[in-house]
């Protein structure tokens, strides 16, 4: 499977689901526009759809923008849960994939087109509403939603204990590039559904006729840093 890490989100009666993964390995960090920082999924306020937010390029400057050399994919799968055994067993089916590509013009006409594997399409220009009726779409530079207290985190590493939480947000003045989609439920799988598995990836694709090369993927929070960077000690950086 192309996507291994997944984010589970219950469709009804649950809190929003999210994952955060700021700063990956050296290759991804050097290609900031391909570095996925956040993935959010939650029921739309109108009760009819699912809202998806994919953020990339953490710490982007005021001149930063999406690139035509990088595509972004969101993968959505239906999940069935078997609760007859000692513990729940999850199985996935009916995948819908949404891919977004940007044009080369980084001026007022900078635009994106998103198409899905089940023939949905939406296109829009920066900071504008989507011009397609298939689903709502938006992109632009926005405040990074991730709350992170760097001093608090550093104390955990050095003191090996959990300090009292504070209200200091190191990310307060930082931005990211954001893609936002809102899709009606019947348009995804043609009927009702409960649990979803959601993941995202960024990949380089110079031509639609050439397979893309994946830069980054996200589903579970901070896997690359917590699992690979924190435990590497004197070994090579394994995050790439």
């Amino acid at each position: 499977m192309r996507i291994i890490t997944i984010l589970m989100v219950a469709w009804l009666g649950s809190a929003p689901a999210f994952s955060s993964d700021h700063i990956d390995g050296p290759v991804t960090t050097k290609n900031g526009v391909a570095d996925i920082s956040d993935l959010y999924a939650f029921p739309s306020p109108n009760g009819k759809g699912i809202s998806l937010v994919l953020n990339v390029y953490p710490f982007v400057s005021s001149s930063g923008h999406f690139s035509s050399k990088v595509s972004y994919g969101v993968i959505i799968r239906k999940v069935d849960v078997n609760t007859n055994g000692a513990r729940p067993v999850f199985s996935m089916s009916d995948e819908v994939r949404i891919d977004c590509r940007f044009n080369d013009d980084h001026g007022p006409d900078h635009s994106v087109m998103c198409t899905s594997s089940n023939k949905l399409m939406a296109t829009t220009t920066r900071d504008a509403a989507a011009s397609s009726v298939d689903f709502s779409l938006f992109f632009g530079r926005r405040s990074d939603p991730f709350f992170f207290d760097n001093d608090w985190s550093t104390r955990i590493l050095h003191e090996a204990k959990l300090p009292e939480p504070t209200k200091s947000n190191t990310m307060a003045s930082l931005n990211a590039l954001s893609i936002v989609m809102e899709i009606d439920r019947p348009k995804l799988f043609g009927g009702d559904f409960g649990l979803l598995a959601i993941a995202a990836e960024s990949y380089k694709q110079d031509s639609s006729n050439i397979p893309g090369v994946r830069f980054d993927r996200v589903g579970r929070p901070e896997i690359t840093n917590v699992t690979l960077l924190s435990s590497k000690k004197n070994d090579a950086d394994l995050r790439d």
Side-chain angles (χ1 to χ4, degrees):
M1 293 182 352
R2 296 184 65 189
I3 293 294
I4 299 175
T5 57
I6 61 174
L7 170 67
M8 294 292 193
V9 52
W11 176 250
L12 292 174
S14 72
F18 63 91
S19 63
S20 184
D21 191 27
H22 290 64
I23 308 178
D24 286 308
V27 171
T28 307
T29 303
K30 290 178 181 178
N31 296 274
V33 72
D35 188 358
I36 300 175
S37 58
D38 288 297
L39 174 62
Y40 296 87
F42 50 89
S44 301
N46 63 14
K48 299 179 181 180
I50 179 172
S51 295
L52 303 168
V53 181
L54 176 60
N55 290 336
V56 303
Y57 210 156
F59 323 119
V60 64
S61 68
S62 59
S63 60
H65 50 72
F66 286 99
S67 170
S68 61
K69 300 297 183 181
V70 181
S71 296
Y72 306 90
V74 176
I75 299 89
I76 308 170
R77 292 174 182 166
K78 293 173 63 176
V79 179
D80 295 317
V81 186
N82 187 335
T83 59
N84 293 327
R87 60 181 58 187
V89 177
F90 300 91
S91 59
M92 290 180 286
S93 63
D94 297 342
E95 176 180 297
V96 172
R97 179 186 177 92
I98 304 171
D99 289 289
C100 298
R101 298 203 67 180
F102 290 80
N103 68 352
D104 288 316
D105 186 350
H106 304 306
D109 295 327
H110 187 30
S111 64
V112 64
M113 176 178 289
C114 298
T115 57
S116 74
S117 56
N118 63 343
K119 309 302 181 183
L120 301 178
M121 188 276 287
T123 182
T124 188
T125 55
R126 182 171 51 199
D127 296 327
S131 58
S132 168
V133 297
D134 286 343
F135 59 93
S136 299
L137 177 64
F138 170 91
F139 79 92
R141 189 177 68 253
R142 289 295 181 266
S143 176
D144 196 312
F146 184 54
F147 185 98
F148 178 69
D149 184 345
N150 185 64
D151 292 337
W152 182 82
S153 178
T154 301
R155 287 182 61 191
I156 294 176
L157 294 177
H158 291 294
E159 299 174 8
K161 62 181 181 181
L162 194 64
E164 288 295 321
T166 71
K167 296 182 180 180
S168 176
N169 183 16
T170 308
M171 313 292 290
S173 61
L174 300 175
N175 295 319
L177 298 182
S178 186
I179 302 173
V180 183
M181 292 175 274
E182 184 179 64
I183 307 174
D184 289 343
R185 294 170 62 189
K187 291 184 178 181
L188 280 175
F189 298 111
D192 201 8
F193 51 84
L195 202 64
L196 295 177
I198 301 175
E201 66 177 355
S202 62
Y203 53 98
K204 180 179 179 182
Q205 190 167 20
D206 294 326
S207 170
S208 58
N209 299 322
I210 302 175
V213 178
R214 186 169 59 200
F215 273 110
D216 198 11
R217 65 182 176 188
V218 66
R220 294 174 177 157
E222 291 296 355
I223 288 298
T224 46
N225 291 322
V226 174
T227 304
L228 298 179
L229 180 62
S230 301
S231 61
K232 74 170 187 176
K233 296 182 179 179
N234 296 323
D235 298 329
D237 193 332
L238 303 177
R239 289 176 296 170
D240 286 335

